Amino acid sequence: MRTLSPRLTQRIAFSILFAATLFVILPVAFIIGVILKNGLGAVNWEFLTAMPRASMREGGILPAIVGTFCLVAGAVLFALPLGLCAAIYLSEYSKDSRLNRAVRLAIVNLAGVPSVVFGLFGLALFVGFFRFGASILAGSLTLGLMILPVIITSSREALDAVPGSFREVSLSLGATKLQTIKYAVLPHALPGILTGTILGVGRAAGETAPILFTVAAFYLPRLPRSIFDQAMALPYHLYVLSTQVPNVAPKIRYGTALVLLAIVLLMNFLAIAIRSHFRAKKKW
Amino acid sequence: MAAPILLTESLNLFYGNFQALKNVNLSVAGRRITSIIGPSGCGKSTLLRVFNRMNDLVEGARVTGRVLLDGEDIYAPGTDLLSLRKKVGMVFQRPNPFPISVFENILFGLRVHQLAGKSKDRLREIVKESLESVLLWEDLKDRLNGLATNLSLEQQQRICIARLFVVRPEVLLMDEPCSALDPLATARIEELMQELKKNYTIVIVTHNMQQAARVSDDTGYMYLGELVEFGATQKIFTTPRDKRTEDYITGRAG
């Protein structure tokens, strides 16, 4: 049997690896391309700032944009303090490896729960049991639970990445443990925590299932007045436009998708920018 | 010899079942430089970390015997660790300023001890005094807001020393403070130590025997957790009493 020359083998292997890499980029480029091409024409000032009209076939998507921002803000307000406290406890205080293992297992499982299950859970707990009704509060809490694992995991990694010598110096200067965390650890973990939170936000902004039963209004052409109001939200609005309302101009559907995609991608870019900004400054 | 500032009596330290310090009886005189030498793993760093109780952070560490600072047992129940560590400052092997400005680094100890609420001018005064005492003020007075981690290693180590002064320590513990520095920087830090000795009691751990001989007034030789020999530096290096000390300083062991 003839064997290929090492040089040729190398070239083939390189081509395969290169093709695989390209293949990853392809769908992203394709999705963005199609949505841009079909949606860009729809996006203008009125589309972003007006109420929907004529059963959502005309007008803008302002209430869905506002609704999504409210939901995401609520989710972060709930999940960031909770997740950060948990991460600090796990990273700085807990020495009990069994508790640590149990929590890590719980986080992995929480991250693996399908989003529609979160939706049903939110319906049962927040909408039903706590009687919040279908509301921004219930939806935010549900989304908050969903991004909790992202926030805990990334906060913990950020805290663990702070060199032990910072803690040692701080303690050796007579700081208490809490002061050490506050002054010598948290400030240096903040970029990582922020990055994780923004990634969580991006995820929360795009999810449909968790808000389906807990907050999302089919058609509500006004802005929410309180956290107990129902609200429209971009992902659900897109679903409604695409499947529930006949004769919607494709332009409006794609325009909605474009706005949602832009928000999520913006979040991701922001996270990347923060991370690289601080990585460049980091010297330890 | 003046009255000791630091004194250990039958000090034993265990990490779990491993005994790292064996019946150490050491007395450190005030405003002198005491060096602890010995081969790697002999327990000299552990001994240093007894004096500010940093070993408490190691899980399973246990101490028996007494350690007196100014006549008070720092291992007595109810000892205030925070004020102990204010009194006994530590300089580490690798220069470890925080990746924040020089100014903020120097003031870190103040922040922690809530002596804040001082005017901006007063804070600058404090920073100036601290940096002057490590001979850095002239070099850095225009760069106080720059990152401390961008400075040379020697300057970083000086900042780590200066950082201690704002909490007004009595004793400075130095854990191989020059091992990350080049010979010139080492010489300059050693000069600084002579200067600091006028106001502070210094205990330095080093595996550089020449350094111990150059800078210290008293020297202790440790081997396998024991303080084999302790006395005036000159005596230890010229007429050691113990065979093990002699072997080490003449380069036959360690």
Side-chain angles (χ1 to χ4, degrees), chain A residues 95 165-177 179-180 183-185 187-188 281-284, chain B residues 49 52 54 57 59 82 85-86 88 92 96 98-100 108 111-114 147 149-150 163-164:
Chain A
K95 285 181 187 145
S165 69
F166 289 16
R167 299 174 180 84
E168 208 174 36
V169 172
S170 174
L171 291 170
S172 80
L173 279 164
T176 63
K177 182 140 192 171
Q179 288 173 327
T180 297
Y183 296 123
V185 181
H188 306 291
K281 262 176 63 177
K282 187 151 89 177
K283 272 196 189 157
W284 60 61
Chain B
R49 280 154 184 262
N52 61 351
M54 286 298 276
L57 304 177
E59 226 173 317
L82 306 185
R85 288 175 185 161
K86 263 176 78 173
V88 185
F92 295 82
N96 50 8
F98 294 106
I100 50 180
F108 187 88
R111 180 184 290 265
V112 151
H113 292 290
Q114 296 169 337
L147 276 184
T149 36
N150 282 342
R163 180 167 63 182
L164 301 173

Side-chain angles (χ1 to χ4, degrees), chain A residues 41-65:
Chain A
V43 179
N44 53 34
W45 187 244
E46 197 213 348
F47 187 69
L48 294 175
T49 58
M51 297 291 161
R53 288 190 308 269
S55 303
M56 300 180 260
R57 291 189 190 89
E58 286 171 30
I61 54 168
L62 180 66
I65 295 176

